[in-house]
Amino acid sequence: MIPVLSDKAQMNSSRVDTRILMSRLTRLGEVGRDERGVLARLACSDADRQGRDLLLKWARESGFETRCDAIGNLFIVYNPSGSDESPILIGSHIDSVINAGMYDGCYGVLAGLGVLETIKAEGVAINRPLALVAFTNEEGVRFTPSLFGARVFTGVLSLEAAYATADRDGVTVGEELLRIGYVGTDSFPTPAAYVELHIEQGPVLEADKRDIGVVTGVNGAFSIRVSFDGVANHAGTTPMRLRRDAGQGAARFMRFVDELARAHTPELVATVGTFSLEPGAINVIPSRAVMTVDCRSSKSELLRMAREAMAAELAAISEETALGTHMAVLGTSEPVDFAPDLIDCVEETAVDLGYSHLRLPSGAGHDAQMMAAVCPATMIFVPSLGGISHNPLEHSSEEELAKGAAVLLGVVEELVTR
């Protein structure tokens, strides 16, 4: 049976011009592609400058005020009455990973621009300023950490430390922002609320056949580097009982990590993302093994349990195998809960529009988790084909993108007209 949208759903889904949105996504998606067609629009690169220039061109053509702060965050402002009330802020990012798709971050920014254009074109009477932000270096590929511009905006990272952050070649953020012409002097006030629209980057909405993800928060995480030290020896002459095989200790730990996460599914996920053996010869027992583990959950107590369990397992492996073991914490973040009233607003808007929905946490990090520390914040997800992201195969259909934009418009309109 062909689904029939309510009158309100039909009206709202057509208000943000999807043709313009798709055209802009395609155009921005070409910025930063090399001769092989590989997209890499890394923060503070020439491609990033070109993407910023294009976004600001579209904003200015639509008659909006544009601002750039000291870390290069771009703000597009609509404030027809000159109100000094705290603004409602829509946001995401336009920098990308290496060999990227064209939706991650960019969809939220360009749909946000469409929302501003719709509200302006329709003459919606707004009671406070409305703005869109494209944060600098959300991905953290060239310069770490990720969520860079949002960290500076919220005071988690100082501007001085941000400027001094260098890439692998020793080039700093401050130098590159100056080179590409995006060291701004404008400021922007703390918003009354922050809303971010994004592709899910996961398989849940598609698997459950839901139109909209009502995001309840962002999972916390920890990442560790674990090493095992044994003795290199001849693979043919050393009996199994006399070996100190670092690779076998690492394999045992890898199995433990997987079994631990599966025992607490779906609340806990864990991934061994990198793994190396030394000396790396086919006929030599490994003397050293190093791996990294990424562990995430929406529950702080599960993260603490997992970290303690991994440390205990490492100690047991060391005692039973005579291997040296070491665990270094690379990073941690606590789970972030979004504002209940904004979560309800997203859900109610989806219901009003006749869209199926599902409440879920975000497994990936987003600027919204930083913004939640300074103002009420929430996110809206749309399905990702196959759950694929950070990949050229990243895709969401035009219909899915249109529904997300309609929900964003509905939520923002509610917030600016209160």
Side-chain angles (χ1 to χ4, degrees):
M1 182 176 68
I2 299 175
V4 178
L5 296 180
S6 66
D7 291 342
K8 184 172 183 179
Q10 292 181 26
M11 177 185 70
N12 212 44
S13 64
S14 63
R15 291 173 64 195
V16 176
D17 194 319
T18 309
R19 291 172 298 177
I20 292 177
L21 172 60
M22 297 305 297
S23 174
R24 286 172 173 169
L25 274 169
T26 301
R27 177 68 185 88
L28 184 56
E30 293 304 312
V31 176
R33 290 193 187 273
D34 64 17
E35 63 279 359
R36 301 166 297 164
V38 174
L39 173 60
R41 195 167 52 250
L42 303 187
C44 306
S45 64
D46 288 340
D48 186 25
R49 174 184 54 77
Q50 293 165 13
R52 290 164 175 266
D53 291 349
L54 186 59
L55 174 62
L56 294 183
K57 172 179 176 291
W58 288 329
R60 289 164 182 160
E61 287 173 349
S62 294
F64 295 120
E65 174 193 353
T66 62
R67 304 180 192 175
C68 178
D69 70 9
I71 197 60
N73 296 324
L74 303 180
F75 297 90
I76 297 166
V77 183
Y78 179 54
N79 187 19
S81 66
S83 170
D84 58 3
E85 293 287 328
S86 297
I88 300 300
L89 186 62
I90 308 167
S92 200
H93 63 98
I94 64 168
D95 66 304
S96 81
V97 298
I98 298 170
N99 200 21
M102 70 178 193
Y103 300 91
D104 179 1
C106 301
Y107 167 52
V109 171
L110 297 178
L113 181 56
V115 166
L116 265 66
E117 290 170 332
T118 300
I119 288 176
K120 179 183 179 184
E122 294 181 358
V124 176
I126 64 175
N127 297 324
R128 59 177 66 243
L130 175 60
L132 168 68
V133 60
F135 284 112
T136 295
N137 188 36
E138 190 269 357
E139 294 291 3
V141 173
R142 183 181 181 192
F143 301 103
T144 58
S146 61
L147 315 178
F148 206 86
R151 289 178 192 271
V152 174
F153 182 80
T154 58
V156 173
L157 178 66
S158 72
L159 184 61
E160 292 74 17
Y163 281 164
T165 300
D167 64 12
R168 293 179 180 178
D169 297 322
V171 181
T172 67
V173 169
E175 292 169 338
E176 285 294 85
L177 278 175
L178 187 64
R179 183 184 67 81
I180 68 172
Y182 277 98
V183 177
T185 57
D186 299 319
S187 61
F188 194 81
T190 300
Y194 175 84
V195 186
E196 183 167 351
L197 174 64
H198 211 281
I199 59 172
E200 183 193 353
Q201 301 182 283
V204 177
L205 294 178
E206 182 186 55
D208 287 1
K209 297 181 171 57
R210 306 299 178 95
D211 299 318
I212 297 295
V214 181
V215 187
T216 55
V218 178
N219 285 349
F222 68 82
S223 56
I224 58 175
R225 179 183 294 112
V226 180
S227 60
F228 303 81
D229 291 295
V231 176
N233 214 330
H234 196 290
T237 63
T238 310
M240 301 301 289
R241 63 185 176 84
L242 298 179
R243 297 182 179 210
R244 291 176 60 196
D245 187 337
Q248 288 302 312
R252 170 174 160 177
F253 187 75
M254 187 183 295
R255 287 193 298 271
F256 176 82
V257 168
D258 184 71
E259 290 167 359
L260 178 67
R262 291 181 186 278
H264 295 87
T265 189
E267 288 84 8
L268 186 73
V269 294
T271 305
V272 174
T274 66
F275 183 86
S276 64
L277 296 174
E278 298 176 12
I282 192 171
N283 58 354
V284 180
I285 298 166
S287 59
R288 183 170 173 81
V290 181
M291 68 174 69
T292 56
V293 179
D294 178 291
C295 189
R296 306 188 187 214
S297 177
S298 62
K299 298 180 178 179
S300 296
E301 61 272 20
L302 272 181
L303 290 171
R304 286 193 294 272
M305 178 280 299
R307 191 164 154 186
E308 291 170 359
M310 290 180 195
E313 177 67 11
L314 275 177
I317 291 172
S318 181
E319 182 177 353
E320 295 169 20
T321 64
L323 293 173
T325 62
H326 179 72
M327 183 173 82
V329 178
L330 303 179
T332 63
S333 63
E334 285 296 309
V336 173
D337 295 324
F338 289 148
D341 61 330
L342 293 185
I343 295 170
D344 290 343
C345 186
V346 172
E347 187 168 62
E348 291 162 7
T349 301
V351 171
D352 287 345
L353 290 168
Y355 300 155
S356 60
H357 66 279
L358 176 70
R359 289 195 177 207
L360 76 170
S362 172
H366 296 284
D367 292 309
Q369 74 191 76
M370 293 290 111
M371 296 301 294
V374 299
C375 70
T378 196
M379 293 189 72
I380 304 160
F381 279 169
V382 298
S384 294
L385 180 66
I388 295 172
S389 185
H390 286 185
N391 184 309
L393 298 178
E394 179 180 272
H395 181 74
S396 298
S397 72
E398 182 173 339
E399 180 183 5
E400 290 164 340
L401 298 175
K403 289 178 178 178
V407 174
L408 178 65
L409 173 60
V411 171
V412 169
E413 196 166 27
E414 169 67 21
L415 295 176
V416 295
T417 56
R418 284 178 177 175

